[in-house]
Amino acid sequence: MDDIKKTKDKKDIGKRPPLGKPSKPPITREYIPLADRDGAVGTIMLAPAIIYVAGLVAIPFFLAVALSLSDATVGNPSIH
């Protein structure tokens, strides 16, 4: 009966458990759908507005730079 029952010896008191796998299970992240992520939804909804505004500013800017560096005139605005 003593062989089946596990008892601690006095010399085992105060010893640390052996290093190895942690006793707690690893923390798992739960999947959050894209529609529930505030940052992602905000970015997706704001992207078309930023693209349109950038296009409305960038296209005329680069056309103005190209025209200023060319020999175009008012009567003939084609870029050579």
mmCIF file of all heavy atoms in Angstrom, residues 4-5 8-9 16-17 20 24 27-28 30 34 39-41 49-50 54-56 58 60 63-64 66 71-72 80:
data_model
loop_
_atom_site.group_PDB
_atom_site.id
_atom_site.type_symbol
_atom_site.label_atom_id
_atom_site.label_comp_id
_atom_site.label_asym_id
_atom_site.label_seq_id
_atom_site.Cartn_x
_atom_site.Cartn_y
_atom_site.Cartn_z
ATOM 1 N N ILE A 4 1.878 2.348 -3.591
ATOM 2 C CA ILE A 4 0.872 3.002 -4.424
ATOM 3 C C ILE A 4 0.686 4.453 -4.013
ATOM 4 O O ILE A 4 0.572 5.340 -4.844
ATOM 5 C CB ILE A 4 -0.469 2.240 -4.337
ATOM 6 C CG1 ILE A 4 -0.290 0.828 -4.895
ATOM 7 C CG2 ILE A 4 -1.555 2.982 -5.087
ATOM 8 C CD1 ILE A 4 -1.494 -0.052 -4.679
ATOM 9 N N LYS A 5 0.674 4.717 -2.727
ATOM 10 C CA LYS A 5 0.455 6.063 -2.223
ATOM 11 C C LYS A 5 1.737 6.875 -2.336
ATOM 12 O O LYS A 5 2.783 6.451 -1.890
ATOM 13 C CB LYS A 5 0.018 5.969 -0.755
ATOM 14 C CG LYS A 5 -0.433 7.272 -0.180
ATOM 15 C CD LYS A 5 -0.928 7.039 1.235
ATOM 16 C CE LYS A 5 -1.368 8.327 1.847
ATOM 17 N NZ LYS A 5 -1.777 8.148 3.230
ATOM 18 N N LYS A 8 5.524 12.822 -0.026
ATOM 19 C CA LYS A 8 6.701 13.673 -0.215
ATOM 20 C C LYS A 8 7.690 13.403 0.915
ATOM 21 O O LYS A 8 7.318 13.296 2.070
ATOM 22 C CB LYS A 8 6.301 15.143 -0.196
ATOM 23 C CG LYS A 8 5.527 15.584 -1.394
ATOM 24 C CD LYS A 8 5.335 17.074 -1.359
ATOM 25 C CE LYS A 8 4.640 17.549 -2.595
ATOM 26 N NZ LYS A 8 4.470 18.994 -2.618
ATOM 27 N N ASP A 9 8.914 13.308 0.516
ATOM 28 C CA ASP A 9 9.962 13.197 1.513
ATOM 29 C C ASP A 9 10.245 14.581 2.064
ATOM 30 O O ASP A 9 9.923 15.602 1.455
ATOM 31 C CB ASP A 9 11.236 12.618 0.894
ATOM 32 C CG ASP A 9 11.061 11.179 0.454
ATOM 33 O OD1 ASP A 9 10.179 10.487 0.990
ATOM 34 O OD2 ASP A 9 11.819 10.772 -0.427
ATOM 35 N N ARG A 16 11.931 23.505 -6.310
ATOM 36 C CA ARG A 16 11.160 24.021 -7.434
ATOM 37 C C ARG A 16 10.782 22.877 -8.366
ATOM 38 O O ARG A 16 11.517 21.897 -8.491
ATOM 39 C CB ARG A 16 11.977 25.042 -8.213
ATOM 40 C CG ARG A 16 12.224 26.301 -7.461
ATOM 41 C CD ARG A 16 12.951 27.265 -8.332
ATOM 42 N NE ARG A 16 13.171 28.508 -7.618
ATOM 43 C CZ ARG A 16 13.842 29.524 -8.100
ATOM 44 N NH1 ARG A 16 14.376 29.435 -9.307
ATOM 45 N NH2 ARG A 16 13.992 30.613 -7.407
ATOM 46 N N PRO A 17 9.657 23.025 -9.064
ATOM 47 C CA PRO A 17 9.320 21.992 -10.040
ATOM 48 C C PRO A 17 10.302 22.057 -11.211
ATOM 49 O O PRO A 17 10.894 23.106 -11.481
ATOM 50 C CB PRO A 17 7.906 22.359 -10.487
ATOM 51 C CG PRO A 17 7.736 23.788 -10.130
ATOM 52 C CD PRO A 17 8.633 24.048 -8.958
ATOM 53 N N GLY A 20 10.332 23.113 -17.832
ATOM 54 C CA GLY A 20 9.819 22.399 -18.999
ATOM 55 C C GLY A 20 8.619 23.137 -19.530
ATOM 56 O O GLY A 20 8.614 24.360 -19.624
ATOM 57 N N LYS A 24 0.361 26.465 -17.323
ATOM 58 C CA LYS A 24 -0.840 27.089 -17.865
ATOM 59 C C LYS A 24 -0.900 26.855 -19.377
ATOM 60 O O LYS A 24 0.122 26.829 -20.042
ATOM 61 C CB LYS A 24 -0.831 28.600 -17.603
ATOM 62 C CG LYS A 24 -0.902 28.954 -16.152
ATOM 63 C CD LYS A 24 -0.899 30.450 -15.986
ATOM 64 C CE LYS A 24 -0.919 30.825 -14.511
ATOM 65 N NZ LYS A 24 -0.854 32.273 -14.327
ATOM 66 N N ILE A 27 -2.013 31.221 -24.268
ATOM 67 C CA ILE A 27 -3.116 32.134 -24.528
ATOM 68 C C ILE A 27 -3.382 32.137 -26.028
ATOM 69 O O ILE A 27 -2.484 32.361 -26.830
ATOM 70 C CB ILE A 27 -2.777 33.556 -24.051
ATOM 71 C CG1 ILE A 27 -2.563 33.546 -22.534
ATOM 72 C CG2 ILE A 27 -3.868 34.538 -24.439
ATOM 73 C CD1 ILE A 27 -2.043 34.855 -21.998
ATOM 74 N N THR A 28 -4.610 31.869 -26.399
ATOM 75 C CA THR A 28 -4.981 31.879 -27.814
ATOM 76 C C THR A 28 -5.813 33.108 -28.097
ATOM 77 O O THR A 28 -6.590 33.556 -27.260
ATOM 78 C CB THR A 28 -5.793 30.625 -28.180
ATOM 79 O OG1 THR A 28 -6.954 30.558 -27.359
ATOM 80 C CG2 THR A 28 -4.964 29.369 -27.978
ATOM 81 N N GLU A 30 -8.713 35.002 -30.105
ATOM 82 C CA GLU A 30 -9.939 34.642 -30.788
ATOM 83 C C GLU A 30 -10.054 35.467 -32.065
ATOM 84 O O GLU A 30 -9.612 36.605 -32.132
ATOM 85 C CB GLU A 30 -11.115 34.857 -29.823
ATOM 86 C CG GLU A 30 -12.197 35.719 -30.265
ATOM 87 C CD GLU A 30 -13.276 35.928 -29.208
ATOM 88 O OE1 GLU A 30 -13.072 35.592 -28.045
ATOM 89 O OE2 GLU A 30 -14.305 36.437 -29.597
ATOM 90 N N LEU A 34 -13.512 41.106 -39.796
ATOM 91 C CA LEU A 34 -13.061 42.395 -40.313
ATOM 92 C C LEU A 34 -14.076 43.489 -40.031
ATOM 93 O O LEU A 34 -13.709 44.624 -39.735
ATOM 94 C CB LEU A 34 -12.802 42.294 -41.816
ATOM 95 C CG LEU A 34 -12.237 43.523 -42.499
ATOM 96 C CD1 LEU A 34 -10.859 43.841 -41.937
ATOM 97 C CD2 LEU A 34 -12.167 43.324 -43.986
ATOM 98 N N GLY A 39 -10.457 49.927 -36.568
ATOM 99 C CA GLY A 39 -9.371 50.508 -37.348
ATOM 100 C C GLY A 39 -9.429 50.098 -38.811
ATOM 101 O O GLY A 39 -9.206 50.918 -39.710
ATOM 102 N N ALA A 40 -9.720 48.833 -39.067
ATOM 103 C CA ALA A 40 -9.768 48.349 -40.448
ATOM 104 C C ALA A 40 -10.953 48.939 -41.194
ATOM 105 O O ALA A 40 -10.826 49.346 -42.356
ATOM 106 C CB ALA A 40 -9.828 46.825 -40.463
ATOM 107 N N VAL A 41 -12.106 48.994 -40.554
ATOM 108 C CA VAL A 41 -13.304 49.537 -41.210
ATOM 109 C C VAL A 41 -13.102 51.022 -41.511
ATOM 110 O O VAL A 41 -13.458 51.503 -42.598
ATOM 111 C CB VAL A 41 -14.554 49.306 -40.339
ATOM 112 C CG1 VAL A 41 -15.760 50.022 -40.920
ATOM 113 C CG2 VAL A 41 -14.839 47.823 -40.215
ATOM 114 N N ALA A 49 -11.987 58.252 -50.385
ATOM 115 C CA ALA A 49 -11.961 59.714 -50.283
ATOM 116 C C ALA A 49 -10.536 60.236 -50.417
ATOM 117 O O ALA A 49 -10.290 61.235 -51.105
ATOM 118 C CB ALA A 49 -12.576 60.162 -48.963
ATOM 119 N N ILE A 50 -9.590 59.571 -49.791
ATOM 120 C CA ILE A 50 -8.193 59.996 -49.883
ATOM 121 C C ILE A 50 -7.678 59.845 -51.305
ATOM 122 O O ILE A 50 -6.962 60.711 -51.816
ATOM 123 C CB ILE A 50 -7.329 59.197 -48.880
ATOM 124 C CG1 ILE A 50 -7.688 59.599 -47.461
ATOM 125 C CG2 ILE A 50 -5.843 59.390 -49.146
ATOM 126 C CD1 ILE A 50 -7.031 58.773 -46.396
ATOM 127 N N ALA A 54 -6.446 63.014 -53.462
ATOM 128 C CA ALA A 54 -5.064 62.978 -53.945
ATOM 129 C C ALA A 54 -5.028 63.089 -55.466
ATOM 130 O O ALA A 54 -4.162 63.777 -56.029
ATOM 131 C CB ALA A 54 -4.376 61.695 -53.487
ATOM 132 N N GLY A 55 -5.970 62.442 -56.138
ATOM 133 C CA GLY A 55 -6.025 62.538 -57.597
ATOM 134 C C GLY A 55 -6.382 63.933 -58.067
ATOM 135 O O GLY A 55 -5.817 64.440 -59.044
ATOM 136 N N LEU A 56 -7.307 64.565 -57.373
ATOM 137 C CA LEU A 56 -7.712 65.918 -57.765
ATOM 138 C C LEU A 56 -6.607 66.941 -57.521
ATOM 139 O O LEU A 56 -6.579 67.992 -58.150
ATOM 140 C CB LEU A 56 -8.975 66.334 -57.015
ATOM 141 C CG LEU A 56 -10.268 65.627 -57.451
ATOM 142 C CD1 LEU A 56 -11.411 66.002 -56.520
ATOM 143 C CD2 LEU A 56 -10.611 65.998 -58.879
ATOM 144 N N ALA A 58 -3.065 65.897 -57.199
ATOM 145 C CA ALA A 58 -1.818 65.433 -57.804
ATOM 146 C C ALA A 58 -1.821 65.558 -59.329
ATOM 147 O O ALA A 58 -0.802 65.975 -59.904
ATOM 148 C CB ALA A 58 -1.551 63.988 -57.405
ATOM 149 N N PRO A 60 -3.475 67.665 -61.512
ATOM 150 C CA PRO A 60 -3.198 69.020 -61.995
ATOM 151 C C PRO A 60 -1.798 69.524 -61.630
ATOM 152 O O PRO A 60 -1.177 70.259 -62.404
ATOM 153 C CB PRO A 60 -4.266 69.878 -61.323
ATOM 154 C CG PRO A 60 -5.352 68.945 -60.978
ATOM 155 C CD PRO A 60 -4.684 67.644 -60.693
ATOM 156 N N LEU A 63 0.631 67.937 -64.088
ATOM 157 C CA LEU A 63 0.429 68.533 -65.410
ATOM 158 C C LEU A 63 1.009 69.947 -65.467
ATOM 159 O O LEU A 63 1.603 70.339 -66.476
ATOM 160 C CB LEU A 63 -1.053 68.562 -65.763
ATOM 161 C CG LEU A 63 -1.668 67.211 -66.176
ATOM 162 C CD1 LEU A 63 -3.167 67.364 -66.380
ATOM 163 C CD2 LEU A 63 -1.005 66.703 -67.446
ATOM 164 N N ALA A 64 0.855 70.709 -64.400
ATOM 165 C CA ALA A 64 1.419 72.057 -64.352
ATOM 166 C C ALA A 64 2.940 72.021 -64.395
ATOM 167 O O ALA A 64 3.572 72.828 -65.080
ATOM 168 C CB ALA A 64 0.943 72.775 -63.099
ATOM 169 N N ALA A 66 4.752 69.609 -65.746
ATOM 170 C CA ALA A 66 5.141 69.176 -67.089
ATOM 171 C C ALA A 66 5.001 70.315 -68.088
ATOM 172 O O ALA A 66 5.869 70.494 -68.963
ATOM 173 C CB ALA A 66 4.279 67.985 -67.516
ATOM 174 N N ASP A 71 8.064 73.560 -73.821
ATOM 175 C CA ASP A 71 8.004 74.798 -74.586
ATOM 176 C C ASP A 71 6.594 75.038 -75.129
ATOM 177 O O ASP A 71 6.416 75.552 -76.230
ATOM 178 C CB ASP A 71 9.035 74.787 -75.715
ATOM 179 C CG ASP A 71 8.810 73.641 -76.684
ATOM 180 O OD1 ASP A 71 7.990 72.755 -76.362
ATOM 181 O OD2 ASP A 71 9.453 73.624 -77.745
ATOM 182 N N ALA A 72 5.586 74.665 -74.369
ATOM 183 C CA ALA A 72 4.194 74.850 -74.773
ATOM 184 C C ALA A 72 3.829 76.327 -74.699
ATOM 185 O O ALA A 72 4.317 77.057 -73.841
ATOM 186 C CB ALA A 72 3.268 74.037 -73.875
ATOM 187 N N HIS A 80 5.824 69.018 -76.061
ATOM 188 C CA HIS A 80 6.784 68.510 -77.038
ATOM 189 C C HIS A 80 7.916 67.814 -76.342
ATOM 190 O O HIS A 80 8.478 68.186 -75.437
ATOM 191 C CB HIS A 80 7.355 69.643 -77.909
ATOM 192 C CG HIS A 80 6.291 70.340 -78.692
ATOM 193 N ND1 HIS A 80 5.868 69.884 -79.902
ATOM 194 C CD2 HIS A 80 5.574 71.450 -78.445
ATOM 195 C CE1 HIS A 80 4.941 70.707 -80.377
ATOM 196 N NE2 HIS A 80 4.744 71.674 -79.486
#
